[in-house]
Amino acid sequence: MYKQQNKGDDTMKPTFILLKNSTSTPFFFVVPPLDLKIESEQDTQIFKIIDVGEKTLIGNRKAERITFSTFFPNLKSPFFNYLLSATPSGCVETLTKLKNDKEPLTLIVPEFNIFFKCYIQSLNFSIIERTGDIDVEISLIEVTKNKTLLDVARGLLQR
């Protein structure tokens, strides 16, 4: 049965995990982002035809993108968790290494049923306040399978 929560109760805090492969140590975002942006676009082309108007052609879908921002808490912060995270600078080093390795990652957010195969497209770090926290903005781009010439030939043979 559904139980209504009071304003003073804790709300659901999703778990954000970045995983390189099944044998690697997962990277936990200790402070989950407040906002998550998922972009999904389609290739389109619009043609103007005299006496008819505009006609739209729909192409293939583009790679999806997920963007969010959070922060890495200072060791003295109440948000810091000794079990799940390293120092803020250690978190920066880990994410930078994951980006530079150019290997596929998986973003897992079980509460939203998100299992997103991706690469890190961009990372932005900043220290705005003198708290020792490090703000991070991360943009992930979907891993898409590139069609090879062989795939194209097989597709033609299947027709």
Side-chain angles (χ1 to χ4, degrees):
M1 180 173 193
Y2 176 74
K3 178 182 170 185
Q4 186 175 4
Q5 291 185 342
N6 297 334
K7 287 186 179 181
D9 292 348
D10 286 334
T11 57
M12 179 185 70
K13 293 182 181 174
T15 308
F16 279 67
I17 305 166
L18 206 52
L19 187 62
K20 186 173 183 178
N21 56 42
S22 59
T23 60
S24 68
T25 304
F27 181 86
F28 286 88
F29 290 91
V30 176
V31 179
L34 293 176
D35 300 316
L36 175 71
K37 181 179 179 184
I38 301 173
E39 294 178 56
S40 180
E41 295 183 8
Q42 200 78 13
D43 272 334
T44 58
Q45 196 135 46
I46 299 173
F47 295 98
K48 293 182 181 180
I49 302 172
I50 298 174
D51 295 334
V52 175
E54 291 186 343
K55 293 295 174 189
T56 305
L57 293 178
I58 299 292
N60 294 328
R61 75 174 190 86
K62 294 182 180 181
E64 290 184 352
R65 290 167 175 75
I66 292 181
T67 308
F68 60 88
S69 61
T70 184
F71 68 94
F72 301 133
N74 185 348
L75 297 174
K76 296 178 183 176
S77 169
F79 295 106
F80 186 78
N81 185 327
Y82 286 101
L83 298 175
L84 297 179
S85 69
T87 61
S89 58
C91 291
V92 167
E93 289 174 17
T94 301
L95 279 182
T96 303
K97 182 176 179 346
L98 287 173
K99 180 180 74 63
N100 293 341
D101 285 349
K102 301 177 187 175
E103 291 186 32
L105 305 169
T106 305
L107 174 69
I108 303 170
V109 187
E111 293 82 359
F112 298 134
N113 201 25
I114 295 175
F115 298 89
F116 186 67
K117 296 278 186 191
C118 59
Y119 297 106
I120 297 176
Q121 184 177 15
S122 67
L123 277 173
N124 296 310
F125 302 106
S126 59
I127 301 172
I128 298 173
E129 302 173 10
R130 294 185 183 162
T131 61
D133 297 340
I134 297 178
D135 292 343
V136 60
E137 293 177 21
I138 186 167
S139 179
L140 305 171
I141 188 163
E142 178 183 23
V143 173
T144 56
K145 184 181 176 203
N146 295 332
K147 288 188 176 181
T148 63
L149 188 55
L150 209 54
D151 292 336
V152 173
R154 285 185 190 139
L156 291 174
L157 293 174
Q158 290 174 355
R159 289 187 192 171

